[in-house]
Amino acid sequence: MAGRKLLVLFGSQTGTAQDTAERIGREAKRRHLECRVEALDTYDVADLIHELLVVFVCATTGQGDPPDNMKMFWRFLFRKTLPPRSLCQMDYAVLGLGDSSYPKFNFVAKKLHKRVLQLGGSPLLPVALGDDQHDLGPDAVIDPWLLALWDKILALYPLPPGLEIISPDVCLPPKYTLYYVAEGSSCSDGDMLQTREARAVPSELHPFAARMVSNERVTAESHFQDVRLIEFDVTGSGITFSAGDVVMIQPQNNPEDVQQFCQLLHLDPDRHFVLKPSELGTALPALLPQPCTIRHLVTHYLDISCVPRRSFFELLSSLSENELEREKLQEFSSAQGQEELYSYCNRPRRTTLEVLWDFPHTACAIPAEYLLDLIPRIRPRAFSIASSGLVHPNRIQILMAVVQYKTRLSKPRRGLCSTWLASLNPQHGDVRVPLWVKKGGLKFPGVADTPVIMIGPGTGVAPFRAAIQERVAQGHRGNCLFFGCRQKSKDFYCQLEWEELVTKGFLMLFTAFSRDQEEKVYVQHRIRENRKLVWELLSSRNAHVYLAG
């Protein structure tokens, strides 16, 4: 078995690249390869020169940017000082995940493939360009590419004598073994939010437990959309931010869903457990306390409200002992069953919990230690900061639409984070929300006489509220805002605030209320009507233009 080692490195923003990397890891184990799967920024990049076989799985975000968890790796790899033959003993392959509706489609994967080639790497295959826009999603590219990849890898590293590829019907061991422990080993739901002792600035691994100060509905009660202006107190956190920055919030599942999940899987929510990695070198989940209760695991960690991916059905089918349910699960996880899976799951936005209700015999027999392989962790949600620290010191405000919509399923679909935040009432006691701040993509000019044209329909106005507050506090005029919503009387957010700034000469405000007249009027109509002013600001005064939706 010596030398049959594969390293799978991923850069993932929403979890798709991580899910694909873990799929490659499972397929490698079925081929008896020793395989490690790691995020690019947790891997010690200096070790790359010793690796013989590497598969990179990376998403492209925004305007051709690398995901957050590969930014350090990206900077290192593009150092001009790296010797041109650094990676000459490496065989590699790059799998990209992108969206062809963006101009820089799979830019990161293409650039990474080219750079590793420059550094002497030998590509096993051309770069794979998975596309979200395809009817079958990125799997349309991934499936055939992986078949070709395994052919290449097994030609270089044949199966040892007497061993065969492990059938997909055979369940691989779980990533962690779960041991129930005595109740005295307590962990409370607050453990994740322990007060920070002389720690660095809050981050994903160490969020700050911010106190919610207020949670105010800013749309009329009669309006179909519930939008909130929420304020958090971040005193003592060490958090600093500027206009255009983003606050990350770690949501949790609602107690009713947690209870249903535990009932369905025959789990006692108050039982305590510890986890032990099944293989050396596997890290424990960073955000889970040890020991932990089942309730804490399901409330704070397992994303039971997400739409499950194909890998979920694949693992579930191998755990199922009910013939009828197993056949259906196998169909959903096969390449041929992807259209049917899309109709069953993705189109109606069916949640993991709802899928488990549809497969009750399988659900009640899931061993608890497979939960962390089966269900991804709850990912943090990003919100534009809608206030300035100069105007509201030690406070962060967000403008948030509560996500709710109908599909063909009878129960309305609800956004996990927005529904949870909207349900919190700081007037009923101390409410804490785990959060941290990230640099945003919008940078506002530091020069006082540079005008700023901001186009922010709906809650897209949030970062511009922060910018306008900041610029006004610094005495900057030349603030021009195009704001659009449905009706002046129902969803004109921050109306009094804007009107006061107009009166004081700090703001030029142009509004488009699309439903207040026969013909629909949008921000683009107001821009066209005021084209002379817009052009004058651009051509004579070098204005900066910002757009947020």
Side-chain angles (χ1 to χ4, degrees):
M1 297 288 279
R4 299 186 81 250
K5 288 184 180 177
L6 170 65
L7 174 65
V8 182
L9 295 173
F10 66 85
S12 186
Q13 196 71 19
T14 61
T16 310
Q18 180 175 350
D19 182 70
T20 305
E22 285 169 353
R23 172 186 170 183
I24 295 170
R26 288 191 300 274
E27 292 190 12
K29 282 175 184 162
R30 293 190 184 281
R31 287 156 179 82
H32 304 280
L33 286 150
E34 196 183 314
C35 183
R36 271 164 58 218
V37 179
E38 271 193 64
L40 279 152
D41 274 359
T42 61
Y43 174 75
D44 186 349
V45 70
D47 291 342
L48 207 58
I49 56 168
H50 307 301
E51 303 291 354
L52 301 179
L53 184 60
V54 184
V55 175
F56 298 94
V57 184
C58 49
T60 294
T61 68
Q63 304 302 312
D65 304 313
D68 291 340
N69 67 356
M70 72 175 280
K71 283 186 169 159
M72 292 188 301
F73 169 86
W74 196 245
R75 280 196 292 272
F76 180 90
L77 199 71
F78 284 91
R79 280 186 186 171
K80 291 189 167 65
T81 52
L82 292 182
R85 302 288 297 156
S86 325
L87 304 179
C88 61
Q89 84 272 40
M90 182 195 287
D91 288 307
Y92 76 98
V94 177
L95 196 171
L97 296 168
D99 185 322
S100 58
S101 66
Y102 284 79
K104 292 198 169 179
F105 171 55
N106 264 314
F107 181 74
V108 171
K110 292 172 187 171
K111 202 169 173 184
L112 175 62
H113 182 80
K114 198 171 168 185
R115 181 60 175 152
V116 178
L117 189 62
Q118 274 178 354
L119 295 172
S122 306
L124 293 167
L125 291 171
V127 59
L129 306 176
D131 185 7
D132 258 354
Q133 291 296 317
H134 193 283
D135 287 347
L136 300 178
D139 282 350
V141 167
I142 295 169
D143 287 355
W145 187 83
L146 278 181
L147 289 173
L149 178 73
W150 294 125
D151 284 348
K152 293 276 187 187
I153 289 175
L154 289 180
L156 290 171
Y157 301 93
L159 283 167
L163 287 179
E164 290 185 359
I165 295 172
I166 301 167
S167 155
D169 301 335
V170 175
C171 200
L172 293 169
K175 197 185 287 185
Y176 306 103
T177 313
L178 183 146
Y179 298 95
Y180 285 114
V181 292
E183 232 165 88
S185 341
S186 69
C187 109
S188 76
D189 266 5
D191 280 7
M192 188 171 137
L193 300 179
Q194 285 301 331
T195 45
R196 295 161 54 256
E197 296 159 25
R199 226 187 238 141
V201 175
S203 63
E204 184 162 6
L205 292 182
H206 303 291
F208 178 71
R211 183 174 65 86
M212 184 185 276
V213 178
S214 60
N215 185 348
E216 177 199 350
R217 179 169 174 146
V218 290
T219 45
E221 287 297 330
S222 59
H223 190 57
F224 78 99
Q225 177 85 74
D226 180 356
V227 175
R228 304 296 178 96
L229 182 65
I230 302 177
E231 181 169 274
F232 303 101
D233 182 352
V234 293
T235 304
S237 66
I239 286 174
T240 57
F241 61 91
S242 310
D245 286 349
V246 166
V247 63
M248 306 297 294
I249 292 179
Q250 184 66 46
Q252 61 186 56
N253 290 310
N254 88 53
E256 196 182 301
D257 285 353
V258 172
Q259 190 184 351
Q260 281 190 12
F261 181 86
C262 291
Q263 280 173 354
L264 188 61
L265 274 74
H266 298 178
L267 295 167
D268 175 356
D270 298 315
R271 279 196 88 174
H272 293 71
F273 67 88
V274 290
L275 293 174
K276 296 273 190 302
S278 301
E279 288 182 6
L280 276 171
T282 303
L284 287 167
L287 293 164
L288 273 186
Q290 290 260 59
C292 183
T293 62
I294 292 288
R295 188 189 310 280
H296 185 99
L297 172 72
V298 183
T299 302
H300 296 286
Y301 196 84
L302 299 179
D303 197 351
I304 59 175
S305 73
C306 72
V307 176
R309 301 177 193 273
R310 177 178 166 185
S311 58
F312 169 87
F313 293 92
E314 194 181 300
L315 179 51
L316 204 56
S317 72
S318 65
L319 293 169
S320 179
E321 289 175 7
N322 178 282
E323 198 180 333
L324 206 65
E325 290 184 1
R326 187 171 64 245
E327 277 180 18
K328 194 69 195 168
L329 291 164
Q330 283 171 339
E331 188 184 329
F332 281 152
S333 58
S334 70
Q336 301 75 36
Q338 289 314 287
E339 280 189 49
E340 197 176 343
L341 176 61
Y342 187 84
S343 301
Y344 167 69
C345 221
N346 301 65
R347 192 171 286 122
R349 311 302 293 164
R350 199 182 298 270
T351 68
T352 296
L353 180 57
E354 288 168 331
V355 170
L356 291 170
W357 277 115
D358 285 349
F359 294 89
H361 300 95
T362 304
C364 71
I366 296 169
E369 51 204 15
Y370 276 100
L371 289 176
L372 285 105
D373 292 75
L374 193 62
I375 302 170
R377 72 174 176 87
I378 299 172
R379 297 206 161 248
R381 298 339 196 229
F383 294 91
S384 291
I385 296 175
S387 58
S388 165
L390 299 178
V391 179
H392 302 281
N394 295 314
R395 295 284 199 265
I396 284 178
Q397 295 179 359
I398 61 170
L399 188 65
M400 176 195 81
V402 181
V403 177
Q404 183 180 330
Y405 57 95
K406 285 287 292 172
T407 65
R408 62 180 170 80
L409 302 177
S410 58
K411 200 175 167 188
R413 307 292 89 191
R414 295 179 193 278
L416 174 66
C417 189
S418 62
T419 304
W420 172 61
L421 286 175
S423 75
L424 302 174
N425 188 342
Q427 292 172 340
H428 293 170
D430 190 41
V431 174
R432 299 277 167 170
V433 172
L435 55 76
W436 63 99
V437 164
K438 257 177 48 179
K439 278 276 149 237
L442 297 175
K443 300 274 181 292
F444 293 90
V447 184
D449 58 357
T450 303
V452 172
I453 299 167
M454 294 161 280
I455 304 153
T459 52
V461 80
F464 303 141
R465 182 172 181 258
I468 291 165
Q469 284 184 1
E470 197 164 284
R471 286 171 59 81
V472 169
Q474 293 164 336
H476 297 186
R477 292 176 186 266
N479 304 304
C480 175
L481 175 65
F482 288 89
F483 173 75
C485 65
R486 286 188 169 221
Q487 290 163 301
K488 183 176 183 176
S489 62
K490 293 193 174 174
D491 56 339
F492 187 4
Y493 316 133
C494 315
Q495 178 181 356
L496 298 176
E497 194 177 321
W498 303 137
E499 288 172 350
E500 188 185 337
L501 291 173
V502 170
T503 306
K504 289 179 175 174
F506 278 106
L507 180 66
M508 292 177 274
L509 177 67
F510 303 97
T511 52
F513 305 113
S514 62
R515 305 297 197 276
D516 275 353
Q517 59 286 306
E518 281 286 299
E519 282 87 40
K520 291 190 177 121
V521 174
Y522 297 112
V523 284
Q524 58 267 36
H525 298 116
R526 295 292 181 237
I527 293 168
R528 193 176 291 125
E529 286 166 16
N530 293 279
R531 57 189 176 272
K532 281 184 181 165
L533 168 70
V534 172
W535 176 243
E536 195 260 322
L537 290 172
L538 288 170
S539 61
S540 309
R541 298 179 55 197
N542 295 319
H544 292 200
V545 181
Y546 299 85
L547 174 65

